[in-house]
Structure formats: structure tokens, C-alpha cells
Amino acid sequence: MEFAYDNLNHRSPTLLGRTLKATLPGVRLVAAQTRPYAAWWRAQNLETLAERDPAPLWVVLGDSMSQGIGASSVQGGWVPRAQVALRDRGLDTRVLNLSFSGARTADVLERQLPALRDAAVEPDVVTLLIGSNDLLRRSLRAELLDRSRELLDALPHGTLVATTPGYGRLGEVATLVKAHPALVPVPLSFGRGEVAQDRFHPDDRAYARLARTFTDPLVRAVRQGTRSFSTAGTLDHG
């Protein structure tokens, strides 16, 4: 049966989002990347699942940042950059990218982890970058810590989780990740002005920085043991 996951956000656009796209050219320009970038990743995912390559499998969970939205091309996102960096270290990897633009913490729990279960694969490394979209609504901010606790417990053992220590509510989530015995925190930093034309998403420089930050943890995770991940939480969730 074909893997039906499509890397698209199925929620209707918010009034604020529609207004910003209608009035700000930079927002409209970056938003126009969403469908083609999602289509590219879907094609890559299908190719990954169809091939019999024994190379380690890297599963990507998250939002638009793991789609590469804001980069000048999809290959300019942090995931393709980090994959190239791994290859330069002698580590070929296959990527299954389940992220989608606009994803929230609940979406990883309710859609991305079930998709990983449906793919019937055993990841060698899993990364998660999520949370920014949960800050855009008061109700989501209020439940972010509880949702994050639920998500962290559902992730495969050893997942590399991006964190932003000291940044308000996301800083509180970073504390949860750091204290979790089964996860590996990957603290992020961003340079001033490293944003795309919508003034929200990262630009090529920021994605290059993000890829560099993840490269060493990815190398360690891949080298420490093929099939070392426990997907029990994912397979039992939901």
C-alpha cells in the first residue's frame, strides 16, 4: 500500500495568515514555497521508502523549519545541508521527512508519529524541531508544556530534540527536554538578521547555522548504533 503522507498542513489558513499574505509581498513570496517544498519532500519520502539501500535512516519530525521554508531553495534548508555534511564525514543516510509547514506540537503527536508507525520502518536517528507555531495563539501557549510532556514521552528513545534555552515558554520546554532521560537536547542559536523576506522564517545563513549545530549530534547518533532506537512509544501511541 502506498505511503499516503503528503507533508501539507490540512488546516484552513487563519484570518491573520490570509491578511499578511494579501498585504505583505515578503510573506506572500515565502508562503508560496510551501506546496512545492512539500511536494519535493513527498517525492523524496516515497523514494526513500521504495529503495533497499541499507544506509542509516534519519526520520525528521517538525514544522516549516524542517521543510526549509525561507531558504532560497529546498536544498538550502537545514536537513539537506546536514545530510551533505554527514556524507562528507563518510556517513550516507536516507531521510524520511514527516515535517510540514504550520505544524504544532499536537501535530507531531497526532499525525507525524502515527505516520512513522504507518511507514513500518526502524529509524537509526530521529530529529525534532517544533514549538514556534504553538506560540502564535494564547490557547496553544497555555497548553504547550502539557503537550510537550506528552510528546517527549512518545518520541523514540534517543531522539535529538532542538531547544531554545532561555526563550520564554520555549525555554521552559527546553528545560523539560534537558531533564528527560531518553532524549538528546540540541540547543540552537540564531544570528541577528538571519531571517527570510517574511521576517519570520530563517534564511540561508540561518539554515546553514542550524545544519552545523545538528551535524555533530547526528554523526554521534548514527555512529553509536544502527537500530539502537526504541520505537515502542511511537508504535504504541494513539
Side-chain angles (χ1 to χ4, degrees), residues 50-123:
E51 62 191 11
R52 297 180 180 273
D53 189 341
L57 177 64
W58 169 15
V59 172
V60 179
L61 307 173
D63 55 24
S64 58
M65 289 180 67
S66 293
Q67 285 284 288
I69 302 298
S72 57
S73 68
V74 67
Q75 291 88 353
W78 80 268
V79 175
R81 288 177 183 267
Q83 190 178 23
V84 170
L86 291 176
R87 190 176 303 124
D88 290 344
R89 304 266 191 107
L91 296 172
D92 284 326
T93 56
R94 298 169 295 145
V95 172
L96 180 67
N97 190 339
L98 303 177
S99 68
F100 61 85
S101 185
R104 303 164 181 165
T105 301
D107 292 315
V108 181
L109 271 165
E110 297 167 5
R111 187 172 163 210
Q112 296 182 24
L113 287 177
L116 174 55
R117 176 198 63 208
D118 292 344
V121 295
E122 289 291 335

Side-chain angles (χ1 to χ4, degrees), residues 8-9 12 15 23 33 37 67 83-84 95 110-111 113 125 129 132 134 148 153 156 176 183 210 223 232-233 235 237:
L8 287 171
N9 187 338
S12 299
L15 175 61
T23 57
Q33 297 175 331
Y37 282 29
Q67 285 284 288
Q83 190 178 23
V84 170
V95 172
E110 297 167 5
R111 187 172 163 210
L113 287 177
V125 60
L129 203 169
S132 295
D134 293 86
S148 294
D153 286 341
L176 294 178
L183 304 175
L210 186 53
R223 285 179 174 166
L235 296 176
H237 181 72

